[in-house]
Structures are given as structure tokens and as C-alpha cells.
Amino acid sequence: MPQPLPPVSVLGLGMMGSALAAALLKAGHPVTVWNRSAAKTGPLVAQGATPAETVTDAVAASPLVIVCFTTNDNVTDALATVDLTGRTLVNLTNGTPAQARALATRAEKQGAAYVDGGIMAVPQMIATPAAYILYSGDEQAYETHRPTLAALGGTQWVGTDPGRAALYDLALLTGMYGMFTGVIQAYALIRTEEIPATRFSELLVPWVGAMLGAAPALAEAVDSGQHLTDVSSLAVNHAAFPNLLNTFAEQGISGELFEPFQHLLDRAIAAGHHNDGASRLVELLKK
Ligand code: NDP
């Protein structure tokens, strides 16, 4: 006889929480669900989940409680007076490292082991090989529940500091937003001459992909502090970058997304870093 799989409670059935609960049901776990607006439990109950009337009931139903609300303030408020004794709280709500650390302290005072997580996927990717979740916090609790968490996607442990998963998550999202910032500006520019963005994307996608190939060498320079480059100096970038800003202005689009980068290049040149590569800019961002 196969062993029954451990029960799990999922709090928050938005787009992401619903995908998480559905994945756990599909993997064969008994799943208890709670959502602030009770109507959202319907589709999951149809898939076999048990609805809980209150957060307290949902927490009491399973040793592993996964929470996925809009913000960590929502998590703090919803769990403020709930007895978490003996529970592992896995918080997959997006937030800051400081919020994760504060939540860990609160949850531990309320009797729980706390694991924070950063979901590197959209809901449609959950439980596919493309999805993974970053975890940090209570390592023993993580190891205990890792087989269950694996139903959601890849599991990536990043350390015992509960804030570490959020730090990795936000750093990865920083890379993503940087990429989208460039893509949005490029489309805005190309559309000033009625060129279809769809046609232009055929050039943009491989170009951005090829440029991303420079990231590992940049990382080596950042780690070693060896910023001198024989590829592309800050001086040459500083000379060329005004062409972007001037063209945005001439073509009638805003340069607001890119002006801060000009200021950073100006600062690098003023400080004498002409011959260094872009890795030097990482140093200049330190406050
Ligand atoms: P949704 O807007 O679809 O769902 C938000 C959920 O939070 C709902 O269940 C909502 O309840 C609940 N909620 C909001 N405020 C409160 C509150 N005060 N008390 C209790 N519950 C509350 O968002 P997602 O599901 O898309 O996102 C949830 C989390 O997952 C966010 O932190 C998001 O950043 C993160 N995430 C989302 C991704 C995505 O692609 N969607 C990707 C990676 C991470 P109600 O239904 O009653 O409003």
C-alpha cells in the first residue's frame, strides 16, 4: 500500500495560490484551502480540496501551511492572533528581506517554524519543469517538507537567513525589470516610425539574448574587483549614450527610463573610471 501523502493547507487563493493548491491536489495531497473571499474556494473544492471557514481552522488542519497573499502586511494581519504551534509556515508572498525576517520572528514566537519563499514562475508554470521556488529560513522544516514542496516546481535552498530568498527573488526580478525596461523603450522608439514591434522583436530578442552572454564575465569582474576592460569601456559608452537620449527626444518619446543611467555614467567618468567596464558601475551604486 502506498503511504498517504501529508496534508497541506493553502491560505490565499488568488491566481498564484490557486495554482499552488491545484498542484498539491494533483500530486495527491489532502489540501485544505482558505481565502478571504470564500467564493474562490469553489473551483478547488471541485478538485477535491476541503474549505476552511477561518484561518485558524485552516492552520489547524495541516502541519504544513502555505500562504500566498498580495503583501506581507496581509500575512502579518491574517496570522496575528492565530496559534501556530507545531506548524511549518511557508510564506510564498512577495516581499522584502526585512519583512521576511520580521515574519520569521513573529511566527517563531507563535510556535511555528518559518520558511520564506520566492516563486520564480507565473501561475501557469507551477508544477512544470520551468518553475522553481527559492526557499530560506528554518532548514530542518524545509528538509522535512521538501518532498511536498517539490510538487510546486523545483526547490532551490538559499540559506538559513529567512530574508535570503526574498533577496535572491528581488535581485532576479531586478534583472527582469531591467530587461523589460529596455524592451519597452526599444518598442517605443521603433514605433515612432510605424515599424511593427512584432517585426522588430525578431531582431531584438536574439540581440538581447546575445548581450546577456556578457553577464558571467561581468560577474567575475564584480567579484574580483578587476574592472579594467578590453571589451567596452565606460568612456566609449559615455560618449555614445547621449545619442540614445537625444534620439528619444527627437523622436518624441520620453527618456525617463534611461536618464538615470546617463547620470551614473557621468558619475563614473567624473571619478576617472574611463578605462573600466560596466562592472565598475556596480561599485558606484553602493551608498
Ligand atoms: P492575486 O491578486 O490573484 O491574489 C491575491 C490574494 O491575496 C487573494 O487570495 C486575496 O484574497 C489575498 N489577499 C489580499 N489581501 C488580503 C488580506 N488583507 N487578507 C487576506 N487575504 C488577502 O495575486 P497573485 O495570486 O497573483 O499573487 C499572490 C502573491 O504571489 C503576490 O505576493 C505575488 O507577488 C506573488 N507572485 C505572483 C506571481 C504571478 O505571476 N501571479 C509570480 C510570482 C509571485 P481575495 O481573493 O479575498 O482578494
Side-chain angles (χ1 to χ4, degrees):
M1 284 276 287
Q3 290 284 334
L5 293 174
V8 189
S9 292
V10 178
L11 311 182
L13 302 175
M15 284 180 264
M16 185 54 86
S18 292
L20 301 173
L24 291 162
L25 284 166
K26 204 167 171 201
H29 292 272
V31 178
T32 298
V33 290
W34 178 87
N35 194 62
R36 180 179 59 174
S37 336
K40 282 192 191 157
T41 58
L44 290 150
V45 171
Q47 294 167 57
T50 304
E53 283 204 6
T54 63
V55 171
T56 300
D57 291 346
V59 167
S62 317
L64 174 60
V65 179
I66 295 175
V67 55
C68 190
F69 294 154
T70 307
T71 67
N72 275 333
D73 285 344
N74 305 150
V75 179
T76 305
D77 293 347
L79 294 174
T81 58
V82 178
D83 180 9
L84 301 174
T85 306
R87 299 297 179 252
T88 290
L89 184 66
V90 174
N91 179 23
L92 301 183
T93 303
N94 186 269
T96 68
Q99 287 171 351
R101 291 183 195 118
L103 272 164
T105 303
R106 290 180 74 113
E108 281 155 19
K109 275 193 191 140
Q110 288 169 249
Y114 183 87
V115 176
D116 205 82
I119 304 173
M120 304 319 297
V122 296
Q124 292 72 14
M125 287 160 67
I126 292 299
T128 72
Y132 74 92
I133 302 181
L134 301 152
Y135 295 99
S136 66
D138 188 313
E139 190 164 11
Q140 200 184 335
Y142 166 74
E143 286 301 341
T144 301
H145 296 290
R146 190 178 183 170
T148 303
L149 297 170
L152 308 175
T155 54
Q156 179 81 49
W157 177 251
V158 288
T160 52
D161 172 357
R164 194 51 74 87
L167 185 70
Y168 270 84
D169 182 0
L170 296 176
L172 288 166
L173 292 181
T174 298
M176 180 194 79
Y177 281 118
M179 181 271 292
F180 278 127
T181 300
V183 169
I184 288 163
Q185 187 76 18
Y187 286 158
L189 181 58
I190 210 75
R191 287 295 298 157
T192 61
E193 306 239 334
E194 307 299 323
I195 297 164
T198 41
R199 173 144 51 94
F200 178 68
S201 76
E202 291 169 16
L203 292 174
L204 184 66
V205 171
W207 166 251
V208 172
M211 289 300 98
L212 204 53
L218 199 57
E220 274 178 35
V222 168
D223 287 346
S224 68
Q226 302 297 318
H227 298 298
L228 269 181
T229 183
D230 56 4
V231 179
S232 181
S233 67
L234 289 176
V236 82
N237 282 284
H238 184 254
F241 206 76
N243 293 330
L244 273 71
L245 294 180
N246 290 336
T247 303
F248 300 154
E250 285 163 17
Q251 297 290 117
I253 62 168
S254 169
E256 66 197 310
L257 292 174
F258 276 61
E259 280 153 12
F261 197 72
Q262 178 72 64
H263 300 321
L264 190 60
L265 286 171
D266 290 346
R267 198 144 68 77
I269 295 305
H273 301 304
H274 302 69
N275 297 324
D276 287 349
S279 59
R280 171 63 72 181
L281 301 177
V282 176
E283 296 291 322
L284 294 182
L285 286 174
K286 283 182 194 158
K287 282 196 170 170

